[in-house]
Amino acid sequence: MARRKFATLKSFLDYIGIEGDRTIFTWVSASEGERFANVIKGVTAKVQALGPATKLVKEL
Amino acid sequence: MENIEKKLREEAKRLLEEKRVDALVGFEAGTLPLTATPCFITSPEEADRLVWNAFCSQNLAKYVHDLISQHHNSQKRVKPEDRKKKVVGVVARGCTTRSIVLHLQERQYGRDEVTIIGVPCEGYVDRKALTAALDGADIREGSLTGDRLDILTAEGKKEIPLQDVLADNCRTCRFNNPIIHDVMIGEPAPAMPGAVQEYAEVEEFEKLSTEERWRYFTKEMSKCIRCYACRQACPSCYCPTCFVEQTQPQWVGLGEDATDTQVFQLMRLFHMVGRCVDCGSCVSVCPMGVDLRKFLKKLDKDVFDFFGNRAGVSLDDPPPLSTFKEDDKEDFIYNP
Ligand code: SF4
Ligand code: SF4
């Protein structure tokens, strides 16, 4: 069910113009230390490549 | 349509006389020419108020839910043995019955609490399109003969083909006949010719660049005045307290900030995954002409593409977000 929600959320955010690469989703188990590190590295790299998020950000 | 109206009134009268329904939700003529407005009928004599025509725009399932849940609430303090059952009757076309199916699947009320008078539907008039076709002139008199609208405005007489002013959701409707009913009035209506292109508009929009899509989303949402008419009209929006009104935590600010409005819209839209029946009620009540359907139809398309499911089209299909299949789409999952 969560999988279904994220599949539609990612697609919908992309549709309204929030770059699809910003919505990243995966499963990591508590025993997968190395995979967890790789996920975080990968996500950080992707986000850095995209630059700061400016959409849906409220200016105070 | 005349004939349908006559049968509808007879049927309504019978149901009320035989006390098979306690209240009946339908449409009556509106106060302005070429309009219809929801009405609530509790005695057989009132059945003659009912109309059924191309000006019946709102999805009446909203009121079915309102009436039944008010009744449920009123019974909470009553001793179980003294509780009364209330049956609400409703005049329902395709999309209205889809909303009822959705309510039943979401356990909002029992099938025995609603009596469905099914009516065939060939689409309703989009009031904004009609106003545009008349260049904004006020309608003084009007009538519908077959597929032609004859309208008298201050500028003079005008003929408008019904097809030109049908609501977008009706043009591409796949389910214009009731999905479920207790009594059916008239013969089923022919399929709407546009149904095969129901996702054409979404597909066009998908082809735009990310920035173009974002510009369109923000442009549309900048029109929104947060009146919440769309939510009030939506049969799928029945939360006792909507997230926009919650203060602990406050999910979204209430001011004029453009981002708050975008977030409100994004969240409401996203609550419609697998739950929007494309009845067009939100679009028809929106005073600002926000293109909500562009986004809602995408949700419908995705749910159909990904899970092969359309909201409320069968009592047997579980709602798409309350179930899963082993082989559900998962290519979006990040795997470094
Ligand atoms: S927008 Fe969401 S929270 Fe608000 S009433 Fe609709 S479904 Fe409920
Ligand atoms: S009805 Fe239109 S203006 Fe009102 S809240 Fe909904 S989208 Fe905004």
Side-chain angles (χ1 to χ4, degrees):
Chain A
M1 273 144 70
R3 188 166 55 167
R4 288 190 163 196
K5 279 185 196 159
F6 276 98
T8 35
L9 180 62
K10 186 177 167 90
S11 166
F12 191 60
L13 285 174
D14 192 54
Y15 185 78
I16 68 165
I18 313 267
E19 306 85 336
D21 275 353
R22 283 200 195 275
T23 324
I24 304 173
F25 174 80
T26 195
W27 267 280
V28 190
S29 142
S31 62
E32 299 174 316
E34 197 184 331
R35 189 177 135 76
F36 186 60
N38 286 338
V39 166
I40 299 297
K41 278 188 202 133
V43 171
T44 328
K46 273 179 182 259
V47 173
Q48 262 166 2
L50 283 168
T54 51
K55 297 168 183 169
L56 293 181
V57 178
K58 188 171 172 181
E59 309 278 340
L60 287 176
Chain B
M1 284 293 171
E2 297 273 276
N3 209 358
I4 291 191
E5 247 171 40
K6 190 165 155 270
K7 285 201 199 128
L8 172 63
R9 290 174 183 170
E10 283 166 10
E11 200 55 52
K13 195 170 276 163
R14 190 176 66 84
L15 288 173
L16 286 157
E17 268 165 5
E18 293 173 8
K19 304 227 179 296
R20 286 174 51 200
V21 301
D22 299 292
L24 192 120
V25 193
F27 284 97
E28 66 182 342
T31 46
L32 295 170
L34 304 186
T35 58
T37 189
C39 70
F40 301 87
I41 286 182
T42 47
S43 71
E45 300 78 59
E46 292 173 299
D48 287 337
R49 273 162 63 193
L50 291 171
V51 300
W52 180 248
N53 56 36
F55 311 105
C56 301
S57 57
Q58 293 318 109
N59 186 336
L60 298 180
K62 176 76 188 184
Y63 303 105
V64 174
H65 190 285
D66 280 358
L67 289 177
I68 301 182
S69 49
Q70 273 166 22
H71 178 71
H72 286 174
N73 283 337
S74 76
Q75 297 296 299
K76 274 185 189 155
R77 283 163 172 272
V78 176
K79 278 188 273 172
E81 59 273 25
D82 294 339
R83 285 192 188 148
K84 286 200 189 69
K85 191 169 122 192
K86 177 168 180 165
V87 180
V88 175
V90 59
V91 181
R93 59 179 160 222
C95 50
T96 313
T97 57
R98 286 178 72 187
S99 289
I100 294 172
V101 167
L102 200 97
H103 288 161
L104 294 171
Q105 288 177 327
E106 294 178 349
R107 303 274 188 273
Q108 292 303 304
Y109 44 80
R111 183 66 184 86
D112 56 340
E113 291 177 278
V114 52
T115 298
I116 303 167
I117 308 181
V119 281
C121 177
E122 293 181 59
Y124 63 79
V125 171
D126 170 357
R127 195 72 189 177
K128 293 185 192 86
L130 182 58
T131 310
L134 297 169
D135 297 319
D138 274 341
I139 302 173
R140 292 195 175 163
E141 278 169 41
S143 63
L144 174 67
T145 324
D147 278 339
R148 195 189 70 233
L149 287 160
D150 294 292
I151 292 171
L152 178 70
T153 68
E155 320 285 309
K157 281 193 179 145
K158 201 163 175 180
E159 277 183 19
I160 298 178
L162 181 62
Q163 284 305 320
D164 291 7
V165 289
L166 276 193
D168 288 341
N169 59 303
C170 296
R171 279 174 209 280
T172 60
C173 173
R174 244 174 218 284
F175 304 94
N176 49 335
N177 287 299
I179 306 280
I180 49 171
H181 63 260
D182 296 294
V183 225
M184 181 72 197
I185 309 273
E187 293 299 311
M192 299 300 279
V196 280
Q197 296 146 14
E198 64 182 326
Y199 299 128
E201 203 186 316
V202 174
E203 280 157 8
E204 277 310 303
F205 193 72
E206 282 168 347
K207 287 191 200 127
L208 300 178
S209 73
T210 309
E211 286 315 308
E212 283 169 318
R213 292 198 302 264
W214 176 250
R215 267 201 298 280
Y216 188 78
F217 177 75
T218 47
K219 175 176 86 57
E220 285 305 306
M221 299 320 166
S222 69
K223 297 185 209 163
C224 172
I225 54 171
R226 302 276 292 274
C227 63
Y228 305 141
C230 47
R231 177 196 66 184
Q232 294 310 108
C234 176
S236 295
C237 270
Y238 55 67
C239 300
T241 310
C242 174
F243 74 91
V244 285
E245 271 117 20
Q246 274 177 23
T247 48
Q248 283 200 338
Q250 188 178 46
W251 300 102
V252 49
L254 290 175
E256 284 179 0
D257 185 86
T259 306
D260 281 335
T261 304
Q262 291 158 12
V263 170
F264 151 62
Q265 289 283 358
L266 172 64
M267 283 174 67
R268 192 188 90 87
L269 291 169
F270 202 68
H271 287 180
M272 295 305 141
V273 180
R275 304 179 66 238
C276 173
V277 301
D278 201 13
C279 62
S281 292
C282 54
V283 174
S284 100
V285 297
C286 176
M288 307 307 288
V290 179
D291 185 3
L292 297 166
R293 184 163 184 265
K294 180 81 92 250
F295 304 101
L296 288 163
K297 202 65 191 161
K298 166 70 173 171
L299 296 171
D300 175 30
K301 175 171 179 285
D302 276 358
V303 168
F304 186 65
D305 284 351
F306 298 170
F307 319 122
N309 185 305
R310 286 192 176 97
V313 301
S314 155
L315 264 177
D316 306 322
D317 291 355
L321 287 193
S322 68
T323 181
F324 66 96
K325 290 200 193 93
E326 293 259 319
D327 57 352
D328 272 344
K329 178 185 160 72
E330 54 181 10
D331 53 1
F332 67 96
I333 295 174
Y334 178 57
N335 257 324

